[in-house]
Amino acid sequence: MNRIGITEKLANLPIGELRYYPQVGSTNDLAVEWASQGAPDLSLVVADEQTSGRGRGGRKWYTPPGAALAFSLILRPRQGETAAIFPRLSALGALSVCKSLIRCYGLEAGIKWPNDVVINRKKVAGMLAESHWMGDQLVALILGIGVNVKPESIPSGEKLDFPATCVETALGQKVNRGVFLYHILKAFLDWRPTLHNNEFIQSWEEHLAFRGEKVQILSEKSDTIEGEISGLTPLGNLTLITHKGTSRTFQNGEVHLRLVDREGI
Ligand code: BT5
């Protein structure tokens, strides 16, 4: 993967400017900085390797050289895009990766709510959405997407929050990262106008992984809750049915979803 190759692959997409780096700390950090300097809507920071890639809540994201997709999109809120869409942005990223995996490679990908992408019950991609404010005005949204493409991208020797896989392992053949990036961005652009609509929530729900399975929701604010995933509310919150038969909903935030029956993982 190099700058010229990516520029060629993305030539037909109406994205903003592109910055490519063989190695960075975190593409999100560079994107936040660039956004503050006036990067236009849909500008893109792509890196081959991240030395301090970030997950949510201060966790780490592993991106070794030559093996993954790591990029951050800078979004300037368009007319009608209020701060209310912010919680949906990472779901849009997950939906774009998920749809591309299904459409381009025929893989049975799903979204582990709220926004991890899984194949064969293992995590293949993660999202990190951040906002950039000036006073009380939202001036930019940054969506960082990390996808494991080659086997070397799967962290080894460290305890993971969730088992991990990569696209090539699931597919059994090589994948061109530039082409895959094109399809993810294309899906993102196609679905961005639906962010406020039911159509978006419906598609997110259709791709929800582990429906009907028993899971635990862990949060810093409340006790662990166990139940079966039943779907999403019209706002994209997760609904669980507990063993008492009551329905509980959870908002995207600092909550974690764990499988109770981890057989097959
Ligand atoms: C995420 O966080 O899943 C968000 C990952 C976002 C990464 C992108 S890459 C481009 C952009 N620039 C950045 O600096 N970040 C974004 P979270 O749900 O908190 O998951 C983090 C956890 O996943 C870690 O604590 C590990 O257990 C695990 N993990 C780390 N690297 C992984 C990998 N490559 N594949 C699968 N799991 C991984």
Side-chain angles (χ1 to χ4, degrees), residues 26-27 50 54-56 59-60 62 123 126-127 148 161:
S26 153
T27 56
Q50 293 188 117
R54 294 192 283 115
R56 297 178 304 150
R59 288 183 289 275
K60 290 188 175 139
Y62 177 67
K123 180 162 168 173
M127 314 289 135
N148 297 337
D161 299 342

Side-chain angles (χ1 to χ4, degrees), residues 56-172:
R56 297 178 304 150
R59 288 183 289 275
K60 290 188 175 139
W61 185 259
Y62 177 67
T63 315
L69 277 176
F71 60 96
S72 301
L73 263 175
I74 298 168
L75 304 166
R76 298 281 176 196
R78 290 180 176 170
Q79 209 177 7
E81 287 184 344
T82 60
I85 62 148
F86 182 56
R88 294 186 183 188
L89 190 67
S90 33
L92 175 59
L95 193 62
S96 308
V97 173
C98 189
K99 280 179 178 289
S100 306
L101 287 168
I102 296 168
R103 195 174 303 150
C104 303
Y105 308 117
L107 290 167
E108 284 185 31
I111 299 173
K112 172 179 166 275
W113 186 87
N115 44 52
D116 287 343
V117 182
V118 293
I119 309 175
N120 299 331
R121 305 167 72 78
K122 294 179 182 172
K123 180 162 168 173
V124 69
M127 314 289 135
L128 178 65
E130 296 179 305
S131 50
H132 178 60
W133 297 79
M134 270 185 182
D136 58 0
Q137 207 191 344
L138 177 66
V139 289
L141 293 163
I142 314 295
L143 176 62
I145 302 185
V147 191
N148 297 337
V149 178
K150 296 177 186 296
E152 306 83 70
S153 61
I154 303 172
S156 60
E158 51 187 285
K159 201 176 170 307
L160 297 175
D161 299 342
F162 204 82
T165 189
C166 71
V167 184
E168 289 191 354
T169 297
L171 190 61

